[in-house]
Amino acid sequence: MLDYRIYEHPIIDFKRGRLIKFTYNGNIIEAYEGESILASLYALGYRVFSRSPDGSRPRGAFCMIGKCSSCLSYVNSVPNTRICIEPVRDGINVVSGDGIPEPPANISSASVRKEIVDTDVLVIGAGPAGLQAALKLGEKGVDVVLVTDHFRLGGQLVKQTHKFFGDTRYYGGVRGFKIAEKLVNELKKYSTIKTYTRAFAYGFFGEGYMGIAVQGEEPVNLLVKPRYTIIATGATERMILFENNDLPGVMGAGGAQTLMNEYGVRPGENALVVGSGNVGLIVAYQLLQAGVRVHGIIEIMREIGGWIVHAAKVRRYGVPILTGHTITRVEGAEKVEKAIVAAVDDKLNPIQGSEKEYSVDLVLLAVGLQPNYALLSQMGATMKYIPEAGGLVPVRTKYMETSIPGVFVAGDLTGIEEATTAFIEGEIAAYTILERMGFTDVITERDRLVDFLWNEYRMSPVISRARQGKLKATVTEEEMEKLRKGIDI
Amino acid sequence: MSSKRTGIITKEELVEKKLLPSMERLSNGPIAILECPEEIPCNICVSACPFNAISKSRIYEVPRLNPDKCIGCGVCVGKCPGLAIFVVDLSKPGKAYVTLPYEMLPSPSKGARVELLDREGRVIGEGTVVKAWVYEKTWVVTVEVPGDLWFDVRAVRIVR
């Protein structure tokens, strides 16, 4: 029997839950509690999880965090279920998606219980920014509702196996997944923090209600009415254009990290990484640790995008980095078997005749991230398109308040950066809310953090682009007041 | 060519950034080489050093090593998140001891035979592990290598 699970790893001890069984397209699947449906299937060699609307093109795992549509399947007859963030359970019946499904026939929505919750602060997103914010609010005994669409807390921290850079005060030197463990354990100390997993914030309604669909044995339509809101919904991986880019085996770099670092499932045997930013360099190193052969890292620009220390790590193990190259095509029947790479000219166009072929089953895209702005945009917050920030981001003050009074933001949603600044932004937002609630003792620390963030941390030349992006999105209190009145600034 | 194009740091770059200890100091006994040429906002090495030999006046400066305070203990090797710190000892004639971070399988042990890899992953010789200890899953491995390879050996592959 094929088994792609990793049993020996230099960094992670995978603790698997009890063995459970479910059916997939009529076959009995053995899985471990704590796995996602997709991870369990991937471990057994399944690579195609759905098909394109006309049924002709296979689709595989791509984002693995519930943001793309490649794994939409039926779970107990419910169509369009994202099996990458759906936990395995005993006896469920899973059927792969095949084009656009019929509406579900036998499911009654009348049984969904409605619950109305009044709270001081609603925090949406349980990654570094959301967790840190919730903890700082919890420390002061404030009522917090913390929601995440995953069945596990921690956001993308759970798959970060490298030790974090930065400052020891913000978990520098600690591996990402260890930070997640620590923060999640700390949450338990505060009885005023109510946490909901598998909880999808689907929209903002009149009279200040946020609608949250909580999945599970007993689904709940949670209507939360908070005094303050912190939105920390993170970011999603970008796609780039090349022939057959929807073929299973073309995967986001973070998708591969989810498989190998969160679930202990090897994403492939032979990989090619596209993009030499820190994400691409780090994922290449982690692939080596998981026993995957990395044939190279492809970079369209003339220089490596990420830090030299990360590049040096993979070069030492013989992974070539091809700058001035791009991927033009992948080939394969139902999954990637080959990738074609070409050198590019000064206008970044592929040079005819320079093509190289790689026999790989995995092409990982590490070509940038895009903030998850949809919810905030739906709420009516003023947004701005800022290329250096990764796309459309909320305009906010240095205290992280948006154009909607009382609605704050933190982390990658505010512009792509990294975890240290997400922790700090989460704290700044939480402290500002605490100040409004009368906890004036936090002001000094909040202002110290704002100063550290802007006048020290972000002054580093290696993150100047991210700083530029954040700078362009940040306005003064006076400018924000004008925006709120509809006056252009 | 610049390391920004190749991912391979050169001796010239380390000298230019004042990150390479003098040959005199290297021959006096073990000392850390901080192969961290960019202004990364990180100060883990500063707080890691038990002898206060590493300093930064701002969090994003390139780290500075005081060669008189550093005893080459290797604590920073296991703590640097960039796996960018090595210890080199040239005090024994004809031999060099290189201490490097290692996060692959199999786990190292004293006496293990290793292939010596350079900054491009090329096998440039064989060596023996003389010391290995682990900090939070990062192994700090000291290998004995031919004296003239002290600058080139920057990774090992353990021969199973």
Side-chain angles (χ1 to χ4, degrees):
Chain A
M1 186 79 182
L2 280 169
D3 186 359
Y4 285 85
R5 286 188 181 84
I6 300 165
Y7 293 97
E8 205 190 352
H9 191 279
I11 307 298
I12 320 165
D13 302 313
F14 294 106
K15 294 181 196 83
R16 296 193 163 86
R18 77 188 166 92
L19 203 61
I20 61 174
K21 285 181 184 167
F22 66 94
T23 62
Y24 182 59
N25 294 342
N27 300 315
I28 293 180
I29 303 293
E30 289 197 336
Y32 294 95
E33 198 165 52
E35 291 178 340
S36 70
I37 294 172
L38 198 157
S40 301
L41 296 172
Y42 207 100
L44 299 178
Y46 290 94
R47 294 294 176 265
V48 179
F49 301 103
S50 72
R51 302 193 84 86
S52 59
D54 66 359
S56 66
R57 300 186 68 85
R59 296 275 157 81
F62 183 78
C63 83
M64 296 293 292
I65 55 168
K67 304 296 179 196
C68 74
S69 54
S70 295
C71 68
L72 296 179
S73 302
Y74 297 85
V75 176
N76 288 344
S77 306
V78 179
N80 286 353
T81 304
R82 292 187 156 96
I83 57 170
C84 68
I85 54 167
E86 188 78 5
V88 292
R89 278 105 71 202
D90 261 322
I92 52 171
N93 180 28
V94 182
V95 177
S96 58
D98 187 1
I100 296 170
E102 293 296 313
N106 304 317
I107 293 157
S108 163
S109 57
S111 65
V112 175
R113 188 164 55 87
K114 187 168 88 179
E115 198 180 311
I116 294 176
V117 177
D118 273 300
T119 188
D120 292 323
V121 188
L122 168 66
V123 180
I124 300 173
L131 282 176
Q132 188 77 4
L135 285 170
K136 290 294 155 192
L137 294 161
E139 273 176 25
K140 295 286 188 188
V142 166
D143 281 331
V144 178
V145 170
L146 172 66
V147 302
T148 173
D149 54 8
H150 203 299
F151 58 86
R152 187 173 291 157
L153 299 164
Q156 308 317 305
L157 287 175
V158 298
K159 61 197 189 193
Q160 306 305 333
T161 56
H162 62 289
K163 290 175 179 165
F164 275 29
F165 288 77
D167 193 287
T168 45
R169 184 166 185 271
Y170 288 98
Y171 320 108
V174 185
R175 297 187 192 277
F177 70 99
K178 291 280 176 194
I179 303 170
E181 273 174 31
K182 180 179 151 35
L183 297 182
V184 171
N185 276 330
E186 271 176 40
L187 269 187
K188 293 173 193 153
K189 291 201 297 208
Y190 305 110
S191 58
T192 60
I193 303 176
K194 262 192 111 173
T195 303
Y196 295 86
T197 54
R198 298 180 70 195
F200 300 77
Y202 59 82
F204 183 68
F205 298 92
E207 293 171 41
Y209 283 104
M210 183 71 77
I212 294 161
V214 186
Q215 311 283 310
E217 292 307 304
E218 280 181 58
V220 179
N221 182 17
L222 194 68
L223 296 172
V224 180
K225 190 174 186 181
R227 292 169 68 192
Y228 300 95
T229 304
I230 298 177
I231 306 202
T233 44
T236 303
E237 276 179 300
R238 283 182 185 279
M239 186 47 140
I240 49 168
L241 293 176
F242 56 89
E243 206 177 321
N244 290 330
N245 68 356
D246 61 342
L247 203 59
V250 176
M251 196 186 287
Q257 283 186 312
T258 300
L259 275 170
M260 66 190 173
N261 298 343
E262 188 175 349
Y263 299 112
V265 175
R266 221 160 3 99
E269 308 282 357
N270 291 282
L272 192 66
V273 176
V274 181
S276 71
N278 280 344
V279 173
L281 299 172
I282 287 170
V283 84
Y285 183 72
Q286 293 174 354
L287 286 164
L288 297 174
Q289 291 177 312
V292 178
R293 186 169 164 217
V294 184
H295 291 248
I297 300 172
I298 306 305
E299 171 57 57
I300 196 164
M301 305 308 281
R302 300 288 158 188
E303 289 198 339
I304 294 166
W307 298 345
I308 289 163
V309 293
H310 285 311
K313 263 163 42 179
V314 293
R315 296 293 280 124
R316 296 204 283 268
Y317 288 100
V319 176
I321 302 175
L322 276 78
T323 55
H325 281 73
T326 191
I327 184 163
T328 56
R329 183 167 92 242
V330 294
E331 291 176 5
E334 298 282 289
K335 64 176 186 183
V336 172
E337 290 161 24
K338 230 191 257 178
I340 290 87
V341 164
V344 295
D345 62 21
D346 290 342
K347 292 185 174 123
L348 306 182
N349 293 315
I351 298 167
Q352 286 256 327
S354 70
E355 290 86 357
K356 289 190 243 298
E357 230 180 70
Y358 291 88
S359 288
V360 291
D361 58 346
L362 200 58
V363 170
L364 296 181
L365 303 185
V367 294
L369 297 163
Q370 154 181 311
N372 289 331
Y373 56 80
L375 182 66
L376 200 66
S377 187
Q378 186 262 336
M379 292 175 80
T382 303
M383 311 291 286
K384 192 172 171 185
Y385 183 81
I386 300 175
E388 297 94 328
L392 208 56
V393 292
V395 176
R396 71 293 186 138
T397 66
K398 65 179 175 183
Y399 298 134
M400 309 312 295
E401 191 172 20
T402 67
S403 64
I404 309 170
V407 175
F408 292 75
V409 284
D412 270 359
L413 158 69
T414 74
I416 307 305
E417 223 172 352
E418 36 69 64
T420 305
T421 51
F423 291 125
I424 296 174
E425 287 183 340
E427 250 183 66
I428 291 171
Y431 287 148
T432 304
I433 290 171
L434 287 169
E435 181 201 3
R436 301 262 174 94
M437 294 178 76
F439 297 92
T440 49
D441 59 324
V442 299
I443 297 173
T444 316
E445 176 61 4
R446 192 263 320 263
D447 292 350
R448 189 193 70 79
L449 279 177
V450 171
D451 184 56
F452 173 73
L453 190 58
W454 287 101
N455 299 324
E456 184 166 353
Y457 194 90
R458 282 190 183 136
M459 295 304 280
S460 160
V462 297
I463 54 171
S464 62
R465 188 178 152 85
R467 181 177 196 272
Q468 270 306 310
K470 296 256 164 168
L471 208 52
K472 287 184 181 175
T474 306
V475 299
T476 63
E477 299 284 342
E478 294 74 37
E479 286 170 328
M480 186 59 91
E481 274 316 307
K482 282 187 185 168
L483 276 181
R484 285 172 183 156
K485 289 177 186 148
I487 304 166
D488 279 343
I489 56 166
Chain B
M1 231 189 330
S2 130
S3 56
K4 217 42 203 159
R5 289 205 155 194
T6 60
I8 297 159
I9 198 157
T10 61
K11 220 181 234 181
E12 292 70 34
E13 273 174 292
L14 289 176
V15 169
E16 192 203 324
K17 301 269 180 183
K18 299 188 172 65
L19 289 167
L20 198 66
S22 68
M23 283 312 291
E24 193 198 346
R25 175 62 188 82
L26 278 159
S27 55
N28 279 346
I31 182 167
I33 303 178
L34 316 175
E35 301 198 1
C36 182
E38 286 176 304
E39 292 165 301
I40 296 173
C42 177
N43 58 14
I44 305 305
C45 54
V46 175
S47 41
C49 179
F51 303 98
N52 298 317
I54 310 176
S55 61
K56 279 189 172 204
S57 62
R58 292 172 83 81
I59 195 168
Y60 61 82
E61 272 185 349
V62 171
R64 296 269 150 253
L65 180 77
N66 181 334
D68 301 326
K69 286 186 178 176
C70 176
I71 65 155
C73 68
V75 165
C76 54
V77 175
K79 288 193 173 178
C80 169
L83 307 186
I85 306 184
F86 304 85
V87 171
V88 170
D89 177 6
L90 296 180
S91 61
K92 307 250 176 5
K95 283 182 200 164
Y97 294 89
V98 177
T99 301
L100 44 85
Y102 176 88
E103 293 185 334
M104 298 288 166
L105 291 174
S107 299
S109 56
K110 195 175 169 179
R113 296 294 295 159
V114 294
E115 288 179 331
L116 305 171
L117 308 179
D118 71 3
R119 288 181 173 75
E120 291 179 64
R122 289 179 301 214
V123 179
I124 52 169
E126 281 210 4
T128 308
V129 174
V130 295
K131 193 170 147 190
W133 54 274
V134 70
Y135 172 73
E136 304 281 2
K137 300 272 186 186
T138 303
W139 284 94
V140 179
V141 180
T142 304
V143 283
E144 187 184 290
V145 313
D148 57 344
L149 294 183
W150 70 271
F151 186 76
D152 300 309
V153 174
R154 282 300 175 270
V156 292
R157 190 177 292 128
I158 290 164
V159 182
R160 283 210 196 235

